[in-house]
Structure formats: structure tokens, C-alpha cells
Amino acid sequence: MKQPPPGEPQATPAATPLPSASPAAEPKAKPTPKPVEITFDQIRQRLTLLPVGIDVRYQTISPDGKWALMIASVANQFNLYVYPLDELSKDPFVSKQLTSTAGFKGSAQFSPDSKEVYYLEQGRINIVPLENRQVRPLSVTAEMDVDFAREKIEVFRQAWTYLRDNFFDPKFNGANWDEVRSEYAPVAAGARTGDELRRIISEMLGELNASHLGISAPQANAPAPAIGRLGLRFDREDYETQGALRITEVIPLTPAAIGNVKSGEYLIAIDGAQVTTHANLDEMLAYKINRRVVLAIASSANGAQKREVVVRPISGNAERALLYRRWVNDNRSYVAKLSNGRLGYVHLADMSQGALTQLYLDL
């Protein structure tokens, strides 16, 4: 092939024309959804209250509109319930219980087909079908360990700083806020649990002598560890002077009471881990609700006459309920003694359905 002289432009082959593309099909326009029309005329007369018969704390409706899902408290225990909304349903119009465990339930929601319910309990995702109510875990398990030694310092700092920057009175109702920090910071650094830290911060807030100030625990459905409770109370002086947990009280009907643990005995170990001065019972009983736990109980702090007691810890709500019932029973006995049996005693804990039911039983 003959090459052109240098400097002359070289010919380029003609570009092969591309085949013409067929015109794309026009996308079909989405149908305009029909607007929802609400007839507000006499809407109050068409209001219907569902006779669910339980103390509901949360509710949602299934995607198909046939079920109301509720988280409700019965006998101081939170569980899931459903109530039929379909007027043509063959199911009886009563609340149907889906779960029966002690842990707090949260974030409950239906599956897209309305046949199953997903929910959180003790930091775990569970699934319960409406048909057979057989709870199964979702194969995703995660537990988060928080460095409480660092967390408590940061929580205290944020609480103090927030009030420094936002309190309505620049003179802090006469309190020297910097001195308050210097006084309470070392105490907060010595807190062993979240509850202790919140009590210390509450004391600090009290220095402001102002209303509507407080600090509370995270919401019950937050992914915090569920702490098992034994139903024991300990001698503070023995713990502070010797680092020993001498039992001063066993709450009736709690795991420790059922295990025949007695006042005056010592808690030496939990699941083989020694209870020392630096031990944190909340950490040792985290995620232990309704699980097998072995307690080492002794007649003295040095471990004399040690024996093992197998228990299944209960939730904090269950322990508080037993404490309340003991308090009611003590008051009832006291009134009966003073009145020679002529007066009765009842107590209404709150205005929930469970409390009203208990009041009827006590009457």
C-alpha cells in the first residue's frame, strides 16, 4: 500500500453507520391513586372502642388491616397480643396472647404478609407466627459490651455541661456550678452501676433547687442488657468494710426464696465467679433472666459450710411486683393487728387494668 508523503493528511476510512435503534417503548403512566375520602360528619358517633381487656402500651395494625397488634402489661409482665379487626373473621373477638416470657418486648411489627410478628426481647430479634404462636429466634445475635468506666465519666460530663449551657438562670439559683462539678465528679467516678450514677446526678441536680429536672434510665426497649434478679438484699456496712455480701433479706417467692436461701448467709459466688469487693452483680447477672444460675451460699464470709443453690433469676419488673405484694401484705397484717381484725386493707397501685383486677381480687 502506497504511503502518502510526509506532511500530507492521511485518509481515514469512512465510519460504518450504526444501525438505527428502534424507538424505546413509552413507559406506561402510573395510575393516579384514588384519594382517600374521610367522612367527618358525625365521626364521633361512629367511634368504636375495642374491648381488648388488657393494659395496652403500644399498638399497630397489620398490613392487611385484619389484626391489631399490642404490647400489653398483664400481672406486671409485658407480652404481645393480637385482636381481630376483620368483621368477617371466624376468630372470636378477644385478645389472643402470642408470647408468655418475662422479658420486655419492643419494636413489634408485622411481616409484609401479616402472618408473622417480629419483635425485640432482651436485645434479640424473635419471630412469632399468628397461626401457631411458636416463637423462634432470628439468626442474628449480637451483644454489646460498654466500657462503663469511661461511659459514666462522659455521661456525667454531658449532664453537667448541658445545664451549664442551658439552665434558665445564669446564676444557677445561687449554686456555684463549677464547685458542684468538683464535688460530684469524684463520686460519679466511683459509681458501680447505671442506677448509682443516675442517683448521683440526681443529687447534683438537686443543688439547683429547681423543678422539672431529673435523669432517667434508658427506655425499656433500648438494647440494654436484661439484668436477672435474685430477690436478695445485702448488708451495706459489711460490704463497705469487708467486701462481703451478707444477706439481710430474702423477698418471698423470689428465686432465692424458692432456693431456701436464708437471711444471715453470704453470697460467695455466681456461676463459679467469686463475688469480691470489685465484683459487679449487674454484670454477673446480665442476660440471665430465666436461665440456670448456680449460687454459692455460705454461713460466713470466709466460705464456711458452702453449698450450691440453683436458681432461675427473674426480671426487675417481676421482682418489683413481688416487693410490692410483700409491702401490701405487711400493711394488711399491721392494720388487722391494730384493729383486732375489724378493718381490712387494700391498695390500688395505679390505674392500669391489672391493678384494678388485683383490687377486685383483694376486695
Side-chain angles (χ1 to χ4, degrees), residues 246-296:
R246 185 173 68 86
I247 299 167
T248 58
E249 181 184 4
V250 182
I251 302 169
L253 301 179
T254 57
I258 295 172
N260 202 31
V261 177
K262 302 295 184 183
S263 295
E265 294 185 307
Y266 288 79
L267 177 61
I268 303 299
I270 298 177
D271 282 339
Q274 295 297 311
V275 177
T276 64
T277 306
H278 303 290
N280 188 325
L281 287 187
D282 283 0
E283 290 181 357
M284 300 174 79
L285 292 170
Y287 303 107
K288 297 291 187 178
I289 294 176
N290 204 32
R291 295 185 179 182
R292 187 179 186 272
V293 172
V294 179
L295 307 180

Side-chain angles (χ1 to χ4, degrees), residues 212-266:
H212 294 79
L213 291 179
I215 182 170
S216 59
Q219 295 182 358
N221 60 347
I227 308 300
R229 302 298 181 188
L230 303 173
L232 295 175
R233 295 293 181 267
F234 303 99
D235 185 276
R236 177 176 178 176
E237 184 176 350
D238 272 15
Y239 177 73
E240 292 179 347
T241 57
Q242 305 179 40
L245 290 180
R246 185 173 68 86
I247 299 167
T248 58
E249 181 184 4
V250 182
I251 302 169
L253 301 179
T254 57
I258 295 172
N260 202 31
V261 177
K262 302 295 184 183
S263 295
E265 294 185 307
Y266 288 79

Side-chain angles (χ1 to χ4, degrees), residues 160 176-184:
W160 182 89
N176 186 319
W177 200 232
D178 289 326
E179 289 185 0
V180 169
R181 178 185 58 181
S182 300
E183 178 183 354
Y184 283 90

